[in-house]
Amino acid sequence: MINVLVLGVGGNVSQGIIKALKKSRMELCIIGACISPFSAGLYMCDEACLSPYAADDDFMAWLIDLCNKRKVDIILTGVEEIIKKIAEHIHELCCQTHSVFVSSSYEQLLIGQDKYLTAQWLKENKCNYPQYCILEDKAAVKEFIEKVEFPFIAKPRCGKSSKGIHMVYNDIQLKQIEHLQNYVLEEYIGDNNSEYTVGCYCDRNGILVDMIIMHRMLNKGTTIWAEIVDNEKIRREAEKICMAFNPRGPLNIQMRLDATGNPVCFELNVRFSGTTAIRANFGFCDVEAMIREYVFEESIEPCFHIISGEVYRYDEEMYLLGNAAKDMQHKNKIVNMNKFQVSYGSLDCT
């Protein structure tokens, strides 16, 4: 039995990790943790507990204590703040526990979490990139406008999903946002029908094992429809990015096709993706691969056999019978989740 700790299970990425774990044929005990007792992901796990925020001073001490008490074999999460915090203190974790945590370097995480640094890295490594500049740099903005036609995009440098994004259609709208801090202006590539997400998995040596390409539609930054495709231009560009970036584990590359049909990367997620569970159902099992590679130290080739198809994402309900959330709130843990009879979709009231 492998003990897997999934952190930040209130978020859709960590919930996708849980779904991918449950789909695997490995014998696992899934331990979930989140800051709130009202996080649905807690009740998807075998055991669960509340956690401090990653920014809290006691987060690493809490994590190390939990890993030792529950004999955690591997830690997984889709929350960028948690990934960065653990990566920053990875030596401490390795010295004081036997738990495995896999991520790219702290410096690579900083590149992926900052839209300006991402565009700068793409340019420096001769990959396709959107024209860009920092909003606070007035000289750079003037030069940017001379190169790029309206509309273009204003994004928070370290934003998530579609939060804080502004489409800028004219000088008046640009004037209205010029006071914003820590924003980057980016060339608007393609349209809403030309977006692709590329899931890549690289082994412990940074070598690309496989990738999955999905053409997708979004709603508020979340994939609501996707289709597995095989696009040679996208594949070559993703391979080029992986070779230059040299990541460890998952790398999610977001691209759009420009007017000439060339793929342009505009975002690097140096972590598992919000479509992790979808990818696992189409044969791209990167979560299972990480466990097999780093815990079992065995071949991960069987984890990647991609099939074609499409997916639609829709809302679903979770029903808990009993006092699961109250127990979580007052006792700070639940060991046997089965007693709450978690059900999805509907309740049998007979």
Side-chain angles (χ1 to χ4, degrees), residues 190-343:
D191 56 35
N192 291 334
N193 294 318
S194 63
E195 180 144 342
Y196 294 80
T197 181
V198 186
C200 305
Y201 185 86
C202 297
D203 65 16
R204 63 173 73 242
N205 298 312
I207 297 172
L208 178 64
V209 178
D210 205 350
M211 72 172 68
I212 183 169
I213 305 170
M214 295 195 296
H215 181 206
R216 67 173 180 171
M217 291 191 295
L218 298 168
N219 182 22
K220 297 180 180 178
T222 297
T223 300
I224 57 172
W225 170 88
E227 179 185 20
I228 309 303
V229 298
D230 188 11
N231 183 302
E232 187 59 30
K233 286 186 177 181
I234 292 175
R235 181 173 295 276
R236 287 200 304 268
E237 186 66 13
E239 288 173 347
K240 184 178 180 181
I241 290 170
C242 286
M243 186 175 296
F245 199 75
N246 196 33
R248 299 295 183 275
L251 177 66
N252 185 57
I253 304 171
Q254 296 188 27
M255 297 182 176
R256 279 192 171 193
L257 301 184
D258 66 14
T260 64
N262 287 318
V264 179
C265 172
F266 61 89
E267 190 167 316
L268 294 174
N269 301 134
V270 194
R271 55 169 171 77
F272 289 111
S273 162
T275 55
T276 293
I278 293 173
R279 293 167 177 178
N281 279 282
F282 284 115
F284 186 86
C285 304
D286 51 353
V287 174
E288 181 176 347
M290 182 176 286
I291 295 174
R292 293 196 179 278
E293 180 177 12
Y294 290 91
V295 178
F296 293 111
E297 296 186 350
E298 62 185 30
S299 171
I300 59 175
E301 190 274 335
C303 298
F304 301 101
H305 291 284
I306 300 168
I307 60 175
S308 61
E310 60 183 306
V311 60
Y312 292 80
R313 181 175 269 161
Y314 61 94
D315 292 336
E316 189 176 41
E317 298 82 33
M318 170 188 288
Y319 299 92
L320 302 177
L321 305 182
N323 300 306
K326 288 183 179 178
D327 275 14
M328 182 67 68
Q329 191 169 14
H330 297 302
K331 298 179 182 178
N332 195 23
K333 67 177 182 179
I334 294 179
V335 175
N336 181 14
M337 206 67 64
N338 292 330
K339 70 178 181 179
F340 292 102
Q341 302 177 45
V342 177
S343 58

